[in-house]
Amino acid sequence: MNSPSPSPLPHAFRLIVTGGGTGGHTYPALTAIRALRERLAGEGRSLDVLWIGTPDGLEARVAPAEGIAFTTVATGKIRRSSNPLKMLSPANAKDMARVPLGVAQARKIIAEFRPDVVLATGGYVAVPAGLGARLCRRPLVLHEQTVRLGLANRKLAGSAARIAVSSESTVALLPESVRSAAVVTGNPVRPEVLSGHPDKAVEALGLAAFDRRLPTVYVTGGAQGSQQINGVVRDALPWLLERANVVHQCGPANVEELRRHVGGLPPELASRYYLAGFVGPELPDVLALADVVISRSGAGTLAELTALGKPAVFVPLATSAGNEQAHNARHLAEAGAAVALLGEVTEASLRDAVGPLLTDPGRRDAMAERARAHGRPDAADRLVDVILSAVSG
């Protein structure tokens, strides 16, 4: 009697991810990969991933550290200008000439890997890889982190099977011909960011001298810090510390200058100030402790703060691509879910923005509720749904 043949193993889901350059494009992709891997594991399936990136982008470090196969293609960077004539620069022409080579390389990679889906999260490298997906007739899913489509995603929108956007308001900004492909998912947020505890921050950072009867402000300008934010917070510090505790992540290069300044503060105020070049594993706990956040308004920051329901005062980076940070901040400010400091930022304008949030708990609570209404803590799972649905057309 013949023994029954074993059931075939479920095939591994094959995914190509492309995008990067900055954390705004890289970390949503990484979070989506983790969520997809977990979803498939629950179904007894595995995930094979290949990341197409640039050799000098953040993704070149993040992907291998996560055990993800990584390869690169030629790509070109567009140096933007409000003057169209300046867009026709020799540097732009030289870089754009590299794009056809990148498309050919991407097409070969995709043809050999045979992915079920290609996920593009933006950045210059997404263009050749996204066009390669189209040429190989592989389903292309775009994910847009900002309110308005970035340049790469605008170029690829017509080739996409699905366009995952982070905000309902983005759908109306899409070309009418591609709106039917749009799905509002939100921007994937790392799960650990949502699981912080304030007491752990107090213990880990040694904040026992903080006055817990006062609100706590977390100031951050991103991993490298922000000279603009550091400067106005430094000038406002005596006023700020009379009303709040402050955790200030200033960037490693700025610690000494700020430490010298703090040396002149009265001891009772200085005890309520914690200065760090970088906040690492403690970040979820610091965010849990914070009653108000002062920060840039990149897409990842907005996703985290709205998912947590944190009142925020945003100081957009004026040089962000397409002025996207100002658009992000304005979008939430118009909904009463944040305060946006647009244009010149001074000590006086910072005080005017932060002061009412520090003195009025009711105002903080109302803003927190409105911020939470814009948050999508399940964005990674929603994006996984979109990726899986793209396979079946």
Side-chain angles (χ1 to χ4, degrees), residues 204-253:
L205 302 184
L207 309 179
F210 272 21
D211 186 343
R212 297 292 289 276
R213 295 169 298 180
L214 295 175
T216 294
V217 176
Y218 176 48
V219 178
T220 177
Q224 302 305 314
S226 158
Q227 297 283 10
Q228 181 188 29
I229 292 176
N230 289 344
V232 292
V233 167
R234 177 198 62 215
D235 295 343
L237 210 47
W239 174 90
L240 200 52
L241 291 171
E242 287 172 358
R243 293 158 178 80
N245 309 294
V246 176
V247 176
H248 186 173
Q249 186 266 311
C250 65

CSV table of all heavy atoms in Angstrom, one decimal, residues 204-253:
chain,number,residue,atom,x,y,z
A,204,ALA,N,15.2,54.9,34.0
A,204,ALA,CA,16.3,54.7,33.1
A,204,ALA,C,17.2,56.0,32.9
A,204,ALA,O,18.4,55.9,32.8
A,204,ALA,CB,15.8,54.3,31.7
A,205,LEU,N,16.6,57.2,32.9
A,205,LEU,CA,17.3,58.4,32.7
A,205,LEU,C,17.7,59.1,34.0
A,205,LEU,O,18.3,60.2,33.9
A,205,LEU,CB,16.5,59.3,31.8
A,205,LEU,CG,16.1,58.8,30.4
A,205,LEU,CD1,15.4,59.8,29.6
A,205,LEU,CD2,17.3,58.3,29.6
A,206,GLY,N,17.3,58.6,35.1
A,206,GLY,CA,17.6,59.2,36.4
A,206,GLY,C,16.9,60.5,36.6
A,206,GLY,O,17.5,61.6,36.9
A,207,LEU,N,15.6,60.6,36.4
A,207,LEU,CA,14.8,61.8,36.4
A,207,LEU,C,14.1,62.0,37.8
A,207,LEU,O,13.0,62.6,37.8
A,207,LEU,CB,13.8,61.8,35.3
A,207,LEU,CG,14.3,61.6,33.9
A,207,LEU,CD1,13.2,61.6,32.8
A,207,LEU,CD2,15.4,62.5,33.5
A,208,ALA,N,14.7,61.5,38.8
A,208,ALA,CA,14.0,61.5,40.1
A,208,ALA,C,13.8,63.0,40.6
A,208,ALA,O,12.8,63.2,41.4
A,208,ALA,CB,14.8,60.8,41.2
A,209,ALA,N,14.6,63.9,40.1
A,209,ALA,CA,14.4,65.3,40.6
A,209,ALA,C,13.3,66.0,39.8
A,209,ALA,O,13.0,67.2,40.1
A,209,ALA,CB,15.8,66.0,40.4
A,210,PHE,N,12.8,65.4,38.8
A,210,PHE,CA,11.7,66.0,38.1
A,210,PHE,C,10.5,66.2,39.0
A,210,PHE,O,10.2,65.4,39.9
A,210,PHE,CB,11.2,65.1,36.9
A,210,PHE,CG,12.0,65.4,35.6
A,210,PHE,CD1,13.2,66.0,35.6
A,210,PHE,CD2,11.4,65.0,34.4
A,210,PHE,CE1,13.9,66.2,34.4
A,210,PHE,CE2,12.1,65.2,33.2
A,210,PHE,CZ,13.3,65.8,33.2
A,211,ASP,N,9.8,67.3,38.9
A,211,ASP,CA,8.6,67.6,39.6
A,211,ASP,C,7.4,67.0,38.8
A,211,ASP,O,6.9,67.6,37.9
A,211,ASP,CB,8.4,69.1,39.8
A,211,ASP,CG,7.2,69.4,40.7
A,211,ASP,OD1,6.4,68.5,40.9
A,211,ASP,OD2,7.2,70.6,41.2
A,212,ARG,N,6.9,65.8,39.3
A,212,ARG,CA,5.9,65.1,38.5
A,212,ARG,C,4.5,65.9,38.6
A,212,ARG,O,3.6,65.5,37.9
A,212,ARG,CB,5.7,63.7,39.0
A,212,ARG,CG,7.0,62.8,38.8
A,212,ARG,CD,7.2,62.6,37.3
A,212,ARG,NE,6.3,61.7,36.7
A,212,ARG,CZ,6.3,60.3,36.7
A,212,ARG,NH1,7.4,59.7,37.4
A,212,ARG,NH2,5.4,59.6,36.1
A,213,ARG,N,4.4,66.9,39.4
A,213,ARG,CA,3.2,67.7,39.4
A,213,ARG,C,3.1,68.7,38.2
A,213,ARG,O,2.1,69.2,37.9
A,213,ARG,CB,3.1,68.5,40.7
A,213,ARG,CG,3.0,67.7,42.0
A,213,ARG,CD,3.2,68.6,43.2
A,213,ARG,NE,4.5,69.2,43.3
A,213,ARG,CZ,5.0,69.9,44.2
A,213,ARG,NH1,4.2,70.2,45.2
A,213,ARG,NH2,6.2,70.4,44.2
A,214,LEU,N,4.3,68.9,37.6
A,214,LEU,CA,4.4,69.7,36.4
A,214,LEU,C,4.3,68.9,35.2
A,214,LEU,O,4.7,67.7,35.2
A,214,LEU,CB,5.7,70.5,36.4
A,214,LEU,CG,5.9,71.5,37.6
A,214,LEU,CD1,7.3,72.1,37.5
A,214,LEU,CD2,4.8,72.6,37.5
A,215,PRO,N,3.9,69.4,34.1
A,215,PRO,CA,3.9,68.7,32.8
A,215,PRO,C,5.4,68.5,32.4
A,215,PRO,O,6.3,69.2,32.7
A,215,PRO,CB,3.1,69.6,31.8
A,215,PRO,CG,3.2,70.9,32.4
A,215,PRO,CD,3.2,70.8,33.9
A,216,THR,N,5.6,67.5,31.5
A,216,THR,CA,6.9,67.2,31.0
A,216,THR,C,6.9,67.5,29.5
A,216,THR,O,6.0,67.0,28.8
A,216,THR,CB,7.4,65.7,31.3
A,216,THR,OG1,7.5,65.6,32.7
A,216,THR,CG2,8.7,65.4,30.6
A,217,VAL,N,7.9,68.2,29.0
A,217,VAL,CA,8.1,68.5,27.6
A,217,VAL,C,9.2,67.7,27.0
A,217,VAL,O,10.3,67.7,27.6
A,217,VAL,CB,8.3,70.0,27.4
A,217,VAL,CG1,8.6,70.3,25.9
A,217,VAL,CG2,7.2,70.8,27.9
A,218,TYR,N,9.0,67.0,25.9
A,218,TYR,CA,10.1,66.3,25.2
A,218,TYR,C,10.4,67.2,24.0
A,218,TYR,O,9.6,67.5,23.1
A,218,TYR,CB,9.7,64.9,24.8
A,218,TYR,CG,10.7,64.2,24.0
A,218,TYR,CD1,12.1,64.2,24.4
A,218,TYR,CD2,10.4,63.5,22.8
A,218,TYR,CE1,13.0,63.5,23.6
A,218,TYR,CE2,11.3,62.8,22.1
A,218,TYR,CZ,12.6,62.8,22.5
A,218,TYR,OH,13.6,62.1,21.7
A,219,VAL,N,11.7,67.6,23.9
A,219,VAL,CA,12.2,68.4,22.8
A,219,VAL,C,13.1,67.5,21.9
A,219,VAL,O,14.0,66.9,22.4
A,219,VAL,CB,13.0,69.6,23.3
A,219,VAL,CG1,13.5,70.4,22.1
A,219,VAL,CG2,12.1,70.5,24.2
A,220,THR,N,12.9,67.4,20.6
A,220,THR,CA,13.7,66.7,19.7
A,220,THR,C,13.8,67.3,18.4
A,220,THR,O,12.8,67.8,17.8
A,220,THR,CB,13.2,65.2,19.6
A,220,THR,OG1,14.1,64.5,18.7
A,220,THR,CG2,11.8,65.1,19.1
A,221,GLY,N,15.0,67.2,17.8
A,221,GLY,CA,15.2,67.7,16.4
A,221,GLY,C,15.6,66.6,15.5
A,221,GLY,O,16.2,66.8,14.5
A,222,GLY,N,15.3,65.3,15.9
A,222,GLY,CA,15.8,64.2,15.1
A,222,GLY,C,17.1,63.7,15.6
A,222,GLY,O,17.7,64.3,16.6
A,223,ALA,N,17.6,62.6,15.0
A,223,ALA,CA,18.8,62.0,15.5
A,223,ALA,C,20.0,62.9,15.6
A,223,ALA,O,20.8,62.8,16.6
A,223,ALA,CB,19.2,60.8,14.6
A,224,GLN,N,20.2,63.8,14.7
A,224,GLN,CA,21.3,64.8,14.7
A,224,GLN,C,21.0,66.1,15.4
A,224,GLN,O,21.9,66.9,15.5
A,224,GLN,CB,21.8,65.1,13.3
A,224,GLN,CG,22.1,63.8,12.5
A,224,GLN,CD,23.2,63.0,13.2
A,224,GLN,OE1,24.2,63.6,13.7
A,224,GLN,NE2,23.0,61.7,13.2
A,225,GLY,N,19.8,66.2,15.9
A,225,GLY,CA,19.4,67.5,16.5
A,225,GLY,C,19.0,68.5,15.5
A,225,GLY,O,19.2,68.3,14.3
A,226,SER,N,18.5,69.6,16.0
A,226,SER,CA,18.2,70.8,15.1
A,226,SER,C,18.7,72.0,15.8
A,226,SER,O,18.4,72.4,16.9
A,226,SER,CB,16.7,70.9,15.0
A,226,SER,OG,16.3,72.2,14.6
A,227,GLN,N,19.6,72.7,15.1
A,227,GLN,CA,20.2,74.0,15.6
A,227,GLN,C,19.1,75.0,15.9
A,227,GLN,O,19.1,75.7,16.8
A,227,GLN,CB,21.2,74.6,14.6
A,227,GLN,CG,22.4,73.7,14.3
A,227,GLN,CD,23.4,73.8,15.5
A,227,GLN,OE1,23.2,74.3,16.5
A,227,GLN,NE2,24.6,73.2,15.2
A,228,GLN,N,18.1,75.0,15.0
A,228,GLN,CA,17.0,76.0,15.1
A,228,GLN,C,16.2,75.7,16.4
A,228,GLN,O,15.9,76.6,17.2
A,228,GLN,CB,16.1,75.9,13.9
A,228,GLN,CG,14.9,76.8,13.9
A,228,GLN,CD,13.9,76.6,12.8
A,228,GLN,OE1,13.7,75.5,12.4
A,228,GLN,NE2,13.2,77.6,12.4
A,229,ILE,N,15.8,74.5,16.6
A,229,ILE,CA,15.0,74.1,17.8
A,229,ILE,C,15.9,74.3,19.0
A,229,ILE,O,15.4,74.8,20.1
A,229,ILE,CB,14.4,72.7,17.7
A,229,ILE,CG1,13.4,72.6,16.6
A,229,ILE,CG2,13.8,72.2,19.0
A,229,ILE,CD1,12.8,71.2,16.3
A,230,ASN,N,17.1,73.8,19.0
A,230,ASN,CA,18.0,73.9,20.1
A,230,ASN,C,18.1,75.4,20.6
A,230,ASN,O,18.1,75.7,21.7
A,230,ASN,CB,19.4,73.4,19.8
A,230,ASN,CG,19.4,71.9,19.7
A,230,ASN,OD1,18.4,71.2,20.2
A,230,ASN,ND2,20.4,71.3,19.2
A,231,GLY,N,18.3,76.3,19.6
A,231,GLY,CA,18.5,77.7,19.9
A,231,GLY,C,17.3,78.3,20.6
A,231,GLY,O,17.5,79.0,21.6
A,232,VAL,N,16.1,78.1,20.0
A,232,VAL,CA,14.9,78.8,20.6
A,232,VAL,C,14.6,78.2,22.0
A,232,VAL,O,14.2,78.9,22.9
A,232,VAL,CB,13.7,78.8,19.7
A,232,VAL,CG1,13.9,79.7,18.5
A,232,VAL,CG2,13.3,77.4,19.3
A,233,VAL,N,14.8,76.9,22.1
A,233,VAL,CA,14.6,76.2,23.4
A,233,VAL,C,15.6,76.7,24.5
A,233,VAL,O,15.2,77.0,25.6
A,233,VAL,CB,14.6,74.7,23.3
A,233,VAL,CG1,14.6,74.0,24.7
A,233,VAL,CG2,13.4,74.2,22.5
A,234,ARG,N,16.8,76.8,24.1
A,234,ARG,CA,17.9,77.4,25.0
A,234,ARG,C,17.5,78.7,25.5
A,234,ARG,O,17.6,79.0,26.7
A,234,ARG,CB,19.2,77.4,24.2
A,234,ARG,CG,20.4,78.0,25.0
A,234,ARG,CD,21.5,78.4,24.1
A,234,ARG,NE,21.0,79.5,23.1
A,234,ARG,CZ,21.4,79.6,21.9
A,234,ARG,NH1,22.3,78.7,21.4
A,234,ARG,NH2,20.9,80.6,21.1
A,235,ASP,N,17.0,79.6,24.5
A,235,ASP,CA,16.7,81.0,24.9
A,235,ASP,C,15.5,81.0,25.9
A,235,ASP,O,15.3,81.9,26.7
A,235,ASP,CB,16.4,81.8,23.7
A,235,ASP,CG,17.6,82.0,22.8
A,235,ASP,OD1,18.8,81.8,23.4
A,235,ASP,OD2,17.5,82.4,21.7
A,236,ALA,N,14.6,80.0,25.7
A,236,ALA,CA,13.3,80.0,26.5
A,236,ALA,C,13.4,79.2,27.7
A,236,ALA,O,12.5,79.1,28.5
A,236,ALA,CB,12.2,79.5,25.6
A,237,LEU,N,14.6,78.6,27.9
A,237,LEU,CA,14.7,77.6,29.0
A,237,LEU,C,14.4,78.0,30.4
A,237,LEU,O,13.6,77.3,31.1
A,237,LEU,CB,16.2,77.0,29.0
A,237,LEU,CG,16.3,75.5,29.4
A,237,LEU,CD1,15.3,74.6,28.8
A,237,LEU,CD2,17.7,75.1,29.1
A,238,PRO,N,14.8,79.2,30.9
A,238,PRO,CA,14.4,79.6,32.2
A,238,PRO,C,12.9,79.7,32.4
A,238,PRO,O,12.3,79.2,33.3
A,238,PRO,CB,15.1,81.0,32.4
A,238,PRO,CG,16.2,80.9,31.4
A,238,PRO,CD,15.8,80.1,30.3
A,239,TRP,N,12.3,80.3,31.4
A,239,TRP,CA,10.8,80.4,31.4
A,239,TRP,C,10.2,79.0,31.3
A,239,TRP,O,9.2,78.7,32.1
A,239,TRP,CB,10.4,81.2,30.2
A,239,TRP,CG,8.9,81.3,29.9
A,239,TRP,CD1,8.0,82.2,30.5
A,239,TRP,CD2,8.1,80.4,29.2
A,239,TRP,NE1,6.7,82.0,30.0
A,239,TRP,CE2,6.7,80.9,29.2
A,239,TRP,CE3,8.4,79.3,28.4
A,239,TRP,CZ2,5.7,80.2,28.6
A,239,TRP,CZ3,7.3,78.6,27.7
A,239,TRP,CH2,6.0,79.1,27.8
A,240,LEU,N,10.7,78.2,30.5
A,240,LEU,CA,10.1,76.8,30.3
A,240,LEU,C,10.2,76.0,31.6
A,240,LEU,O,9.3,75.3,32.0
A,240,LEU,CB,10.9,76.1,29.2
A,240,LEU,CG,10.2,74.9,28.4
A,240,LEU,CD1,8.8,75.3,28.0
A,240,LEU,CD2,11.1,74.5,27.2
A,241,LEU,N,11.4,76.1,32.2
A,241,LEU,CA,11.6,75.2,33.4
A,241,LEU,C,10.9,75.7,34.6
A,241,LEU,O,10.7,75.0,35.6
A,241,LEU,CB,13.1,75.1,33.7
A,241,LEU,CG,13.9,74.3,32.7
A,241,LEU,CD1,15.4,74.5,32.9
A,241,LEU,CD2,13.5,72.9,32.7
A,242,GLU,N,10.4,76.9,34.6
A,242,GLU,CA,9.5,77.4,35.7
A,242,GLU,C,8.1,76.7,35.6
A,242,GLU,O,7.4,76.7,36.6
A,242,GLU,CB,9.3,78.9,35.6
A,242,GLU,CG,10.6,79.6,36.1
A,242,GLU,CD,10.5,81.1,35.9
A,242,GLU,OE1,9.4,81.6,35.3
A,242,GLU,OE2,11.4,81.9,36.2
A,243,ARG,N,7.8,76.2,34.4
A,243,ARG,CA,6.5,75.6,34.2
A,243,ARG,C,6.4,74.1,33.8
A,243,ARG,O,5.4,73.6,33.8
A,243,ARG,CB,5.8,76.4,33.0
A,243,ARG,CG,5.5,77.8,33.3
A,243,ARG,CD,5.4,78.7,32.0
A,243,ARG,NE,5.1,80.1,32.3
A,243,ARG,CZ,6.0,81.0,32.7
A,243,ARG,NH1,7.3,80.6,32.9
A,243,ARG,NH2,5.6,82.2,33.1
A,244,ALA,N,7.6,73.6,33.6
A,244,ALA,CA,7.6,72.2,33.1
A,244,ALA,C,9.0,71.5,33.4
A,244,ALA,O,10.0,72.2,33.7
A,244,ALA,CB,7.4,72.1,31.6
A,245,ASN,N,9.0,70.2,33.4
A,245,ASN,CA,10.2,69.4,33.3
A,245,ASN,C,10.5,69.3,31.8
A,245,ASN,O,9.6,69.3,30.9
A,245,ASN,CB,10.0,68.0,33.8
A,245,ASN,CG,9.4,68.0,35.2
A,245,ASN,OD1,10.0,68.5,36.2
A,245,ASN,ND2,8.2,67.5,35.3
A,246,VAL,N,11.8,69.2,31.4
A,246,VAL,CA,12.2,69.1,30.0
A,246,VAL,C,13.2,68.0,29.8
A,246,VAL,O,14.2,67.9,30.5
A,246,VAL,CB,12.8,70.5,29.5
A,246,VAL,CG1,13.3,70.4,28.1
A,246,VAL,CG2,11.8,71.6,29.7
A,247,VAL,N,12.9,67.1,28.8
A,247,VAL,CA,13.8,66.2,28.3
A,247,VAL,C,14.2,66.7,26.9
A,247,VAL,O,13.3,66.8,26.1
A,247,VAL,CB,13.2,64.7,28.2
A,247,VAL,CG1,14.2,63.8,27.6
A,247,VAL,CG2,12.8,64.2,29.6
A,248,HIS,N,15.5,67.0,26.7
A,248,HIS,CA,15.9,67.6,25.5
A,248,HIS,C,16.9,66.7,24.8
A,248,HIS,O,18.0,66.5,25.2
A,248,HIS,CB,16.5,69.0,25.8
A,248,HIS,CG,16.9,69.8,24.6
A,248,HIS,ND1,17.4,71.1,24.8
A,248,HIS,CD2,16.9,69.6,23.3
A,248,HIS,CE1,17.6,71.6,23.6
A,248,HIS,NE2,17.3,70.7,22.7
A,249,GLN,N,16.5,66.2,23.6
A,249,GLN,CA,17.4,65.4,22.8
A,249,GLN,C,17.9,66.4,21.7
A,249,GLN,O,17.2,66.8,20.8
A,249,GLN,CB,16.6,64.2,22.1
A,249,GLN,CG,17.5,63.3,21.3
A,249,GLN,CD,17.5,63.6,19.9
A,249,GLN,OE1,16.5,63.9,19.2
A,249,GLN,NE2,18.7,63.7,19.3
A,250,CYS,N,19.2,66.7,21.8
A,250,CYS,CA,19.7,67.9,21.1
A,250,CYS,C,20.7,67.5,19.9
A,250,CYS,O,21.1,68.4,19.2
A,250,CYS,CB,20.5,68.8,22.0
A,250,CYS,SG,22.0,68.1,22.8
A,251,GLY,N,21.0,66.2,19.8
A,251,GLY,CA,22.0,65.8,18.8
A,251,GLY,C,23.4,65.8,19.4
A,251,GLY,O,23.8,66.7,20.2
A,252,PRO,N,24.2,64.7,19.2
A,252,PRO,CA,25.5,64.5,19.8
A,252,PRO,C,26.4,65.7,19.7
A,252,PRO,O,27.2,66.0,20.6
A,252,PRO,CB,26.1,63.3,19.1
A,252,PRO,CG,24.9,62.6,18.6
A,252,PRO,CD,23.9,63.6,18.2
A,253,ALA,N,26.4,66.4,18.6
A,253,ALA,CA,27.4,67.5,18.4
A,253,ALA,C,27.0,68.8,19.2
A,253,ALA,O,27.8,69.7,19.3
A,253,ALA,CB,27.4,67.9,16.9
